[in-house]
mmCIF file of all heavy atoms in Angstrom:
data_model
loop_
_atom_site.group_PDB
_atom_site.id
_atom_site.type_symbol
_atom_site.label_atom_id
_atom_site.label_comp_id
_atom_site.label_asym_id
_atom_site.label_seq_id
_atom_site.Cartn_x
_atom_site.Cartn_y
_atom_site.Cartn_z
ATOM 1 N N ASP A 7 49.189 149.442 241.416
ATOM 2 C CA ASP A 7 49.870 149.917 240.275
ATOM 3 C C ASP A 7 50.219 148.756 239.383
ATOM 4 O O ASP A 7 50.420 148.977 238.179
ATOM 5 C CB ASP A 7 51.103 150.712 240.713
ATOM 6 C CG ASP A 7 50.745 152.010 241.322
ATOM 7 O OD1 ASP A 7 49.646 152.563 241.034
ATOM 8 O OD2 ASP A 7 51.609 152.579 242.025
ATOM 9 N N MET A 9 48.513 145.994 238.795
ATOM 10 C CA MET A 9 47.383 145.415 238.157
ATOM 11 C C MET A 9 46.923 146.058 236.872
ATOM 12 O O MET A 9 47.173 147.277 236.707
ATOM 13 C CB MET A 9 46.242 145.366 239.122
ATOM 14 C CG MET A 9 46.373 144.680 240.334
ATOM 15 S SD MET A 9 44.824 144.776 241.361
ATOM 16 C CE MET A 9 45.315 143.857 242.820
ATOM 17 N N ILE A 40 40.965 153.185 238.336
ATOM 18 C CA ILE A 40 40.559 152.197 237.114
ATOM 19 C C ILE A 40 40.540 153.087 235.878
ATOM 20 O O ILE A 40 41.097 152.653 234.773
ATOM 21 C CB ILE A 40 39.215 151.749 237.508
ATOM 22 C CG1 ILE A 40 39.246 150.681 238.618
ATOM 23 C CG2 ILE A 40 38.577 150.928 236.213
ATOM 24 C CD1 ILE A 40 37.916 150.165 239.125
ATOM 25 N N LYS A 41 40.072 154.302 235.827
ATOM 26 C CA LYS A 41 40.023 155.128 234.667
ATOM 27 C C LYS A 41 41.393 155.493 234.159
ATOM 28 O O LYS A 41 41.652 155.431 232.966
ATOM 29 C CB LYS A 41 39.169 156.411 234.984
ATOM 30 C CG LYS A 41 37.699 156.274 235.020
ATOM 31 C CD LYS A 41 37.051 157.490 235.312
ATOM 32 C CE LYS A 41 35.512 157.277 235.549
ATOM 33 N NZ LYS A 41 34.818 158.498 235.961
ATOM 34 N N GLN A 42 42.304 155.729 235.126
ATOM 35 C CA GLN A 42 43.724 156.092 234.769
ATOM 36 C C GLN A 42 44.362 154.827 234.036
ATOM 37 O O GLN A 42 45.042 154.938 233.052
ATOM 38 C CB GLN A 42 44.465 156.400 236.040
ATOM 39 C CG GLN A 42 45.905 156.688 235.817
ATOM 40 C CD GLN A 42 46.647 156.987 237.025
ATOM 41 O OE1 GLN A 42 46.111 156.873 238.233
ATOM 42 N NE2 GLN A 42 47.965 157.304 236.965
ATOM 43 N N LYS A 43 44.135 153.596 234.686
ATOM 44 C CA LYS A 43 44.729 152.378 234.004
ATOM 45 C C LYS A 43 44.074 152.210 232.634
ATOM 46 O O LYS A 43 44.832 151.769 231.698
ATOM 47 C CB LYS A 43 44.356 151.186 234.909
ATOM 48 C CG LYS A 43 45.202 151.011 236.102
ATOM 49 C CD LYS A 43 46.570 150.638 235.863
ATOM 50 C CE LYS A 43 47.368 150.514 237.104
ATOM 51 N NZ LYS A 43 48.682 150.051 236.857
ATOM 52 N N GLN A 44 42.790 152.325 232.458
ATOM 53 C CA GLN A 44 42.190 152.210 231.152
ATOM 54 C C GLN A 44 42.751 153.186 230.147
ATOM 55 O O GLN A 44 42.970 152.811 228.875
ATOM 56 C CB GLN A 44 40.672 152.401 231.306
ATOM 57 C CG GLN A 44 39.913 151.192 231.975
ATOM 58 C CD GLN A 44 38.414 151.411 232.151
ATOM 59 O OE1 GLN A 44 38.016 152.547 232.125
ATOM 60 N NE2 GLN A 44 37.729 150.377 232.395
ATOM 61 N N ALA A 45 42.980 154.444 230.575
ATOM 62 C CA ALA A 45 43.572 155.389 229.686
ATOM 63 C C ALA A 45 44.976 154.963 229.243
ATOM 64 O O ALA A 45 45.341 155.129 228.104
ATOM 65 C CB ALA A 45 43.544 156.789 230.253
ATOM 66 N N GLU A 46 45.735 154.475 230.196
ATOM 67 C CA GLU A 46 47.102 154.078 229.897
ATOM 68 C C GLU A 46 47.094 152.921 228.933
ATOM 69 O O GLU A 46 47.864 152.884 227.998
ATOM 70 C CB GLU A 46 47.851 153.695 231.139
ATOM 71 C CG GLU A 46 48.236 154.871 232.063
ATOM 72 C CD GLU A 46 48.800 154.395 233.387
ATOM 73 O OE1 GLU A 46 49.012 153.187 233.649
ATOM 74 O OE2 GLU A 46 49.119 155.272 234.229
ATOM 75 N N GLU A 47 46.250 151.979 229.093
ATOM 76 C CA GLU A 47 46.149 150.861 228.271
ATOM 77 C C GLU A 47 45.640 151.193 226.845
ATOM 78 O O GLU A 47 46.223 150.691 225.842
ATOM 79 C CB GLU A 47 45.178 149.712 228.859
ATOM 80 C CG GLU A 47 45.787 149.129 230.073
ATOM 81 C CD GLU A 47 44.855 148.152 230.811
ATOM 82 O OE1 GLU A 47 43.783 147.969 230.338
ATOM 83 O OE2 GLU A 47 45.285 147.631 231.825
ATOM 84 N N SER A 48 44.736 152.036 226.715
ATOM 85 C CA SER A 48 44.190 152.407 225.393
ATOM 86 C C SER A 48 45.259 153.277 224.618
ATOM 87 O O SER A 48 45.422 153.254 223.443
ATOM 88 C CB SER A 48 42.935 153.192 225.507
ATOM 89 O OG SER A 48 43.025 154.481 226.124
ATOM 90 N N LYS A 49 46.010 154.122 225.346
ATOM 91 C CA LYS A 49 47.177 154.965 224.831
ATOM 92 C C LYS A 49 48.162 153.991 224.252
ATOM 93 O O LYS A 49 48.730 154.150 223.128
ATOM 94 C CB LYS A 49 47.687 155.746 225.866
ATOM 95 C CG LYS A 49 48.691 156.810 225.460
ATOM 96 C CD LYS A 49 49.169 157.666 226.676
ATOM 97 C CE LYS A 49 50.297 158.559 226.305
ATOM 98 N NZ LYS A 49 50.811 159.226 227.458
ATOM 99 N N GLY A 50 48.541 152.932 224.963
ATOM 100 C CA GLY A 50 49.506 151.982 224.379
ATOM 101 C C GLY A 50 49.039 151.181 223.180
ATOM 102 O O GLY A 50 49.756 150.927 222.319
ATOM 103 N N LYS A 51 47.686 150.904 223.173
ATOM 104 C CA LYS A 51 47.102 150.266 221.999
ATOM 105 C C LYS A 51 47.181 151.148 220.760
ATOM 106 O O LYS A 51 47.354 150.690 219.680
ATOM 107 C CB LYS A 51 45.757 149.761 222.328
ATOM 108 C CG LYS A 51 45.602 148.629 223.258
ATOM 109 C CD LYS A 51 44.238 148.200 223.511
ATOM 110 C CE LYS A 51 44.212 147.075 224.611
ATOM 111 N NZ LYS A 51 42.802 146.744 224.838
#
Side-chain angles (χ1 to χ4, degrees):
D7 290 338
M9 292 182 184
I40 291 171
K41 286 179 185 176
Q42 181 184 1
K43 286 286 186 179
Q44 287 174 340
E46 288 173 6
E47 289 172 1
S48 67
K49 185 177 173 185
K51 286 181 184 176

